[in-house]
Amino acid sequence: MTTIETKSGSGSTRVRGSGIAAVRGLGLALVLLPGAVLCFTLSLVSIALIPIGIGLVTTPWVLTGVRAFADWRRVLAAQWCGVKIPSAYRPVPEGANPWTRTFALLRDPATWRDLRWLPVDMTAGFLTALLPAVLFLYPLEGFALAAGLWRVFADAGYVAYWYGFVPVTGQASAFGAAALALALLFLAHFAGPRLLKAHFQLTRALLAPGQGELAERVRVLTETRRDAVDTSAAELRRIERDLHDGAQARLVAMGMDLGTVEALLDKDPEKARQLLAEARRNSADALTELRDLVRGIHPPVLAERGLGDAVRALALRLPVSTEVDVDLTGRADEPVESAAYFAVSEVLTNAVKHAEADRIWVDVHHAEGMLRIAVTDNGQGGAVIGAGSGLSGVERRLGTFDGVLAVSSPAGGPTMVTMEIPCELS
């Protein structure tokens, strides 16, 4: 008795599953066909209009919409059929100019993967989404023919009404149509959910990143890790050099002065007092250098109060007017905060030294799992990311955390440097 109940429950679950697959497939087919056609058409038109400038404005919006359409399908694939489709889009700086945003999107292999997927989605994807609904609903017509609907077509003058491959000319052939309908319904019972899953597997085959792209990603991560190791080694050498040439030299000189003072206390007290004063100055200078060195390694304000207050402290030390706007609801991991802090410090230093700016704006906020920092100055412009540029070092520093750097700096200014680092706040 228990076995019978289990089989009955399993059968009802399958019937319910095939019905749900049919409804989902029908709804998906009705949405995906116009959606895919619209996204593909707008993308082609927008990209074609780039040479005359219109596409520079429209392409980021259109391709962002295509990404949203593809991400919606990723969500449905995971929720309905358990098919995981990884998303491998490169982040695009929001504050960058249209030219930078457009070509950042067009350089992303995931963009072209989306555009290749859309024609397949509106053809084979549409059919595979619609098949579960067809297998579930088409048998209803066969049962209706057997129930007497065939007479309506006979009265209308049809010599034979074809249901699938069965020509319906009378009640006997109508029962044949019902038998075919029953076979199709039985097929839908087992194949409906599998066909819907096949639709999402087809989507995954086209949207998921390939091995070549994954290999490229590994190469980039390897390079950024190597850059991070080299940067750390160079930083250690700088610290050793600063200690040797600065604080250590002053402490050695102070020790020698104190030895001389000890010898002169009885013979020349006035000279001893002068050497003590000089030793006191050396100790104060050594302490200042040590504090500056520690601040260069990891500023105390960053450790104690977080990135927002650390950036504000940076702005206070600048010789130009600087406005800082911070919107952070928590703190990122220490390595991320440190990378962001030193990146902002380098950009601000460039703005003061090279851009000849007299006003700087800094915006720091976190949204959608991304820490975004924009530094804008009203200087002379012309900043580029290249060999020997401080910005190339910033780019390598951010690349260690999968971050990106975008620079908009036309001749004559203004200059906007946008940094993005994927992270979560705690």
Side-chain angles (χ1 to χ4, degrees), residues 40 109-121 206 213:
F40 188 67
T111 297
W112 298 103
R113 202 162 47 238
D114 288 349
L115 296 180
R116 289 193 298 268
W117 161 68
L118 289 173
V120 178
D121 193 46
L206 293 166
E213 186 175 345

Side-chain angles (χ1 to χ4, degrees), residues 150-358:
W150 67 272
R151 292 188 177 88
V152 176
F153 295 108
D155 294 341
Y158 283 82
V159 177
Y161 177 80
W162 287 86
Y163 177 78
F165 56 83
V166 177
V168 179
T169 57
Q171 189 63 53
S173 55
F175 283 135
L180 176 59
L182 187 62
L184 291 175
L185 193 61
F186 182 77
L187 180 62
H189 179 66
F190 292 98
R194 291 181 172 86
L195 286 171
L196 187 63
K197 186 173 183 178
H199 165 83
F200 288 118
Q201 288 173 335
L202 173 64
T203 304
R204 180 176 61 186
L206 293 166
L207 287 183
Q211 292 298 319
E213 186 175 345
L214 292 176
E216 174 66 14
R217 181 68 182 145
V218 170
R219 185 189 67 80
V220 171
L221 290 175
T222 301
E223 288 184 356
T224 56
R225 184 183 63 182
R226 184 171 60 248
D227 289 339
V229 172
D230 293 342
T231 301
S232 298
E235 188 71 9
L236 286 174
R237 289 192 297 270
R238 182 190 67 81
I239 293 170
E240 292 174 355
R241 185 176 62 252
D242 290 347
L243 284 172
H244 183 272
D245 298 340
Q248 180 178 332
R250 291 187 183 277
L251 291 173
V252 169
M254 185 176 65
M256 295 173 64
D257 288 342
L258 290 175
T260 305
V261 167
E262 186 178 7
L264 293 175
L265 277 176
D266 296 329
K267 298 179 181 179
D268 192 350
E270 183 62 28
K271 182 65 175 178
R273 280 195 297 269
Q274 293 177 2
L275 291 176
L276 281 174
E278 186 175 348
R280 186 170 61 250
R281 287 193 299 270
N282 282 335
S283 67
D285 291 341
L287 183 59
T288 300
E289 289 183 1
L290 287 173
R291 286 173 175 170
D292 291 339
L293 185 61
V294 171
R295 187 179 295 111
I297 299 172
H298 194 76
V301 66
L302 179 63
E304 296 169 4
R305 302 176 63 179
L307 180 62
D309 286 338
V311 172
R312 291 190 182 98
L314 274 177
L316 290 175
R317 294 199 296 269
L318 294 178
V320 301
S321 176
T322 305
E323 296 182 14
V324 179
D325 183 20
V326 178
D327 182 15
L328 299 176
T329 58
R331 296 191 59 174
D333 293 338
E334 286 188 12
V336 173
E337 283 192 334
S338 180
Y341 172 83
F342 287 109
V344 173
S345 177
E346 178 67 27
V347 173
L348 291 176
T349 301
N350 287 345
V352 173
K353 286 185 176 181
H354 307 299
E356 299 180 2
D358 57 19

